[in-house]
Amino acid sequence: MPVRSLLLKNLLFLGLTGVLGAIGLAVNWSISSDPGIGAIMVIMLAGLLVVAGMFTGWGSYLAGADRRALERLCRGDPPKSGCLEAIGGTVSNDTEQLISPLTGTQCVAYEYSIHRARLVHHSRGGGRRRRTLCFDGRHMTDMYLDCPDARIRIASFPSLEEFISEKPDLKLAQQHGERLEDEPTVGILSYLSQRRECNRTNYYRLSKDWYLTQPRHWDEGIEMDERVVPSGITLCAIGVWNADLEQLETPYPWRFSRISLEPGDPEEVRVRIGEGAYQLARVSLWCLGLGYGMMLIRPLLNLFN
C-alpha cells in the first residue's frame, strides 16, 4: 500500500498528540486527590499511546516498502510482476484532455469536493464548525508514463494528494454544481460504497460525480478542494507491476489503497519518502516506549512500597 505524504503527516500528528496528552494526564495523576481515578486515566492514556505507536509503526513499514521500490528504480533493477514497484516518467495521454471543474485546468486526472461549512450553536453557549459534503467527483482519461525504454499505463485511479490546485474558482464551482443538481442525489452509504469500489477496481478511464445535498447559498460558507494531474509533468508512480500488460495496478493485497503519485525525479522522491519513514519510526518508538512504560511504572512502584 503506497503511503502518501498526507498519511505520513496525519500519523505523525497522531503520535505527537498522544505524547502531549500523556504529559497532561501524568500531571493530572500526580495532583489527583483520588489515586484510583488517576491510575485509570493513566492506563487509558497508555493504551492510546500504544495504539498510536502501532499505527505510526505500520505507516513506517509501508513507507519503507515505497522507499525500497524507489531504490530499485534508482539502481535500474527491472520491475517484478506482481510486486510493489516504482516507475518514473513523464505523464502523457492519447485522447482529449480533461478540464477540471473548479479551476478550468487541462489535465489527465482530477478529483474535487465541495463542502458547505457553517457554525452550529449550542443552547449552553458556544458552538462548533460543521462541514457538509455537497458534491464530490473523480475523473481520469487514459494515463501513461513515458519512460526512456517503455510506455507504462496507469491502470487505476491514483492518489492525487500531492497535486492540490491553488485558488479554486467559486463561479466555476457554482456552474458545475448547478449542472449536477439536475441529477438524483445519492445517500451517504451509497456514496461511501461507490468510492470504495473506485479504490478497489482497475480503470483505464473513470468519470464519476456524486451529488449529495444542495449548498443552499453559493455566496456563503462554501469550501472547495481540487487536485489535478496535468500532462507533461515528471513524477514517480508506485503500484503493483503487471508485466504482461505493462501497467501499474491497484496495490494488492491492500485493495483499499490507490496507486501513489509523487512529483519529482526518483532520487528526490526516494529521499522524501525515506525521511517520512524515519520520522514515523521515531514517533512509533517514543509512543510505544512511553505507553508501555506508563503501564509498568505503577506495578514497579508497588514493589518498593
Side-chain angles (χ1 to χ4, degrees):
M1 170 183 172
V3 178
R4 299 170 290 279
S5 297
L6 183 61
L7 176 61
L8 296 176
K9 294 174 184 178
N10 288 342
L11 292 177
L12 185 61
F13 176 76
L14 174 63
L16 294 176
T17 301
V19 172
L20 294 176
I23 297 173
L25 280 185
V27 172
N28 181 280
W29 178 41
S30 65
I31 63 175
S32 175
S33 58
D34 188 339
I37 295 178
I40 293 174
M41 294 175 65
V42 169
I43 291 174
M44 291 176 60
L45 181 64
L48 175 63
L49 283 171
V50 170
V51 171
M54 294 172 63
F55 268 107
T56 50
W58 179 243
S60 177
Y61 168 77
L62 296 176
D66 285 359
R67 179 180 56 80
R68 290 188 291 274
L70 288 160
E71 287 177 347
R72 293 192 293 272
L73 174 63
C74 292
R75 291 196 304 265
D77 297 345
K80 297 180 180 179
S81 187
C83 297
L84 189 71
E85 298 289 355
I87 303 294
T90 303
V91 176
S92 66
N93 71 303
D94 288 333
T95 58
E96 185 177 356
Q97 294 192 28
L98 305 173
I99 304 296
S100 65
L102 306 188
T103 59
T105 304
Q106 287 193 343
C107 56
V108 296
Y110 70 81
E111 62 180 349
Y112 71 92
S113 62
I114 301 175
H115 290 81
R116 181 180 76 243
R118 58 194 179 98
L119 185 64
V120 179
H121 296 279
H122 300 294
S123 58
R124 294 170 295 180
R128 63 186 181 90
R129 186 168 168 273
R130 177 180 296 176
R131 297 176 80 231
T132 301
L133 180 62
C134 300
F135 304 98
D136 196 8
R138 292 178 178 178
H139 293 255
M140 180 179 76
T141 184
D142 59 311
M143 185 189 305
Y144 296 89
L145 283 183
D146 292 334
C147 308
D149 55 352
R151 195 178 193 218
I152 308 303
R153 181 191 285 272
I154 304 298
S156 68
F157 192 83
S159 169
L160 309 184
E161 300 292 350
E162 296 293 333
F163 299 89
I164 299 177
S165 300
E166 296 183 359
K167 298 181 179 180
D169 189 289
L170 180 59
K171 185 176 180 180
L172 290 177
Q174 181 176 356
Q175 294 173 355
H176 181 69
E178 289 174 347
R179 286 194 297 269
L180 293 180
E181 286 177 357
D182 295 331
E183 303 294 329
T185 60
V186 297
I188 186 64
L189 294 180
S190 176
Y191 160 72
L192 293 175
S193 175
Q194 292 178 35
R195 274 184 62 95
R196 185 168 59 250
E197 185 63 25
C198 288
N199 290 345
R200 293 178 175 179
T201 308
N202 289 322
Y203 293 98
Y204 290 155
R205 296 179 180 87
L206 177 65
S207 179
K208 191 67 178 178
D209 293 289
W210 293 280
Y211 168 35
L212 286 87
T213 186
Q214 291 182 344
R216 294 185 183 177
H217 304 290
W218 280 99
D219 57 348
E220 181 180 356
I222 298 297
E223 296 184 356
M224 302 169 291
D225 178 67
E226 184 184 74
R227 299 174 176 88
V228 301
V229 179
S231 180
I233 66 171
T234 300
L235 54 77
C236 293
I238 306 173
V240 172
W241 173 244
N242 186 326
D244 295 333
L245 300 177
E246 291 193 339
Q247 65 185 26
L248 279 180
E249 300 178 348
T250 298
Y252 182 85
W254 301 286
R255 298 294 290 181
F256 54 83
S257 68
R258 291 188 272 171
I259 293 174
S260 177
L261 298 185
E262 297 283 346
D265 61 78
E267 182 62 27
E268 175 188 347
V269 175
R270 182 192 67 82
V271 171
R272 187 167 67 242
I273 295 294
E275 290 175 350
Y278 175 70
Q279 292 175 357
L280 280 173
R282 289 182 59 186
V283 173
S284 176
L285 291 175
W286 273 102
C287 289
L288 291 173
L290 188 56
Y292 284 117
M294 293 175 66
M295 291 181 181
L296 295 174
I297 190 171
R298 190 84 177 185
L300 292 175
L301 290 176
N302 289 337
L303 291 177
F304 298 97
N305 292 335

